[in-house]
Amino acid sequence: MISALNRLVDLVEERLTDEFDLHGLVGSLGTTEYHLRRMFSSLAGMPLSEYLRRRRMTVAAGDVVRGEDDLLTIAVRYGYGSTEAFGRAFRAVHGAGPGDVRRDGGPLRAQPQLRFHLTVEGSIPMDTRIADRPAFRLAGHATRVPLIHHGVNPHIQQHITALPPQEHVRLKALGDTEPAGLLQVCDDVEPDAAEGSELTYLHGVALSGDTPVPDDLDAIEVPAGKWAVFRTAGPYPQALQSTWAATATEWFPSNPWRLRPGPSIVAVLDRAADFSTATTELWLPVEPA
C-alpha cells in the first residue's frame, strides 16, 4: 500500500500538465481506485484532487514569476480554459492572484511533494476480527449530513435527538442480526472522504436478508462480504475516531486487506449514561488486497 501511494505521487508529478486519469492508472498500482483514494485522504490529510491542485499551482507559480509566457498560456498548460478559472485556483492556494505574484514575486505557498513512510509502533494491539457476513439490510432513519473528522457531528446529533425515545426502543427490538444493537451507519461517502463533503447517515439496526423493512423506515441493502471489525473503549467519540484513523495509518498498511465500497457501521455495545465514554465496534467492508 505504501509503495502504491508513493508511485501515485510520482504519477501526479509526471502528469502535472496533463489530464490526470486515476481510473486508468490503478491497474498498474495493484489496488482499487476506491481504496487508493480513501487511504491517500486518510494519510495525507487532504483528498488526492486537492493535492493535485496544490502541486499544479506550486509549479505554475514558477512559470508565473519567470514571466516568459502570458497568463492564458500558463492557464491552458495546467488544464484551465481561462485566466479567470486559473486565477481562482491560484488564489486559493497562494492567497494572491497570478497578476499580483508576477508583479511582486509573492506571496507563494508551496506544496512539497509528498512521500509516504510506514511507521508501525505496535505497542497498542488493535482488537480486530474478520467477519464473513451474508447479505443483510440496514433499516432506520436516514438523512444527509456533512462529514466531520474530529469531535461530535452536530448534524448527526440533531438527527438522533429529534427521534422520540420510544423510537429507539422500537428500532432496537427490530434488529435480528449482526452488527447488533443500535447502529450509526455512514453510506455514500465520497472516495476522497473530504471533510465537509456530504454522506448518508442512518440511525438504525441490522436485519437479516429475509426480514421485511417497515414502510416508515429507510433501508440500505448490504451485499454479502467480509468485514474488519475494530472494538474500542474509552472517551466518546474521541476513542472511536482515533481507532478509525489508526485503521489507515497502522492496520491497512500492515495487513493483507483493502477497503471495498460499502457503508461503515458503528455499533455501540455499552456506554455511560451521559455518553462520555463508550465501548464500540467499527465495521469496515474489506476484501483481500
Side-chain angles (χ1 to χ4, degrees):
M1 190 64 241
I2 299 299
S3 175
L5 287 168
N6 283 326
R7 178 58 183 146
L8 175 60
V9 169
D10 291 339
L11 291 172
V12 166
E13 293 301 307
E14 294 171 9
R15 291 164 171 78
L16 287 177
T17 58
D18 299 323
E19 182 178 354
F20 190 79
D21 178 21
L22 179 58
H23 182 73
L25 296 172
V26 291
S28 65
L29 298 175
T31 186
T32 65
E33 180 178 354
Y34 182 85
H35 183 68
L36 202 61
R37 284 187 180 275
R38 291 297 295 270
M39 289 300 100
F40 186 97
S41 178
S42 296
L43 295 173
M46 72 182 89
L48 175 61
S49 56
E50 174 64 14
Y51 174 70
L52 177 59
R53 182 171 69 94
R54 291 185 187 183
R55 282 298 299 152
R56 279 179 171 160
M57 293 302 99
T58 295
V59 177
D63 293 351
V64 169
V65 171
R66 279 191 294 272
E68 297 174 359
D69 300 306
D70 60 72
L71 294 181
L72 180 59
T73 299
I74 297 173
V76 171
R77 179 179 301 150
Y78 291 95
Y80 293 88
S82 67
T83 55
E84 290 78 10
F86 175 71
R88 287 192 296 271
F90 193 94
R91 183 178 293 276
V93 172
H94 297 291
D100 298 329
V101 167
R102 172 162 284 184
R103 182 186 66 247
D104 302 329
L108 296 174
R109 299 172 184 163
Q111 170 61 59
Q113 183 176 343
L114 288 178
R115 220 64 192 155
F116 294 92
H117 302 278
L118 175 60
T119 301
V120 181
E121 296 294 342
S123 58
I124 304 176
M126 298 187 71
D127 187 354
T128 313
R129 62 187 171 94
I130 302 296
D132 194 353
R133 301 286 292 116
F136 63 96
R137 50 178 56 117
L138 298 160
H141 298 275
T143 187
R144 296 288 288 175
V145 300
L147 176 63
I148 294 178
H149 288 158
H150 303 288
V152 175
N153 188 317
H155 308 279
I156 291 177
Q157 192 174 43
Q158 181 180 12
H159 175 65
I160 296 173
T161 56
L163 299 173
Q166 60 269 28
E167 184 61 12
H168 299 279
V169 176
R170 174 201 174 206
L171 287 172
K172 197 168 183 178
L174 284 174
D176 64 0
T177 189
E178 278 199 307
L182 288 174
L183 307 175
Q184 303 168 4
V185 180
C186 294
D187 197 22
D188 299 326
V189 181
E190 293 182 2
D192 284 333
E195 187 159 25
S197 59
E198 282 205 334
L199 59 91
T200 296
Y201 175 82
L202 181 139
H203 181 75
V205 293
L207 305 178
S208 55
D210 55 357
T211 300
V213 177
D215 292 339
D216 62 332
L217 297 181
D218 302 301
I220 297 173
E221 298 293 333
V222 183
K226 296 186 184 297
W227 298 76
V229 185
F230 304 88
R231 180 176 290 218
T232 187
Y236 184 87
Q238 292 84 358
L240 172 62
Q241 291 172 335
S242 295
T243 295
W244 206 312
T247 65
T249 59
E250 297 183 25
W251 195 82
F252 279 109
S254 55
N255 285 275
W257 300 93
R258 67 188 179 200
L259 284 166
R260 59 182 172 87
S264 58
I265 304 170
V266 173
V268 179
L269 306 181
D270 190 26
R271 67 179 180 87
D274 61 357
F275 228 140
S276 60
T277 62
T279 299
T280 62
E281 282 188 342
L282 169 62
W283 290 61
L284 299 180
V286 297
E287 62 187 7

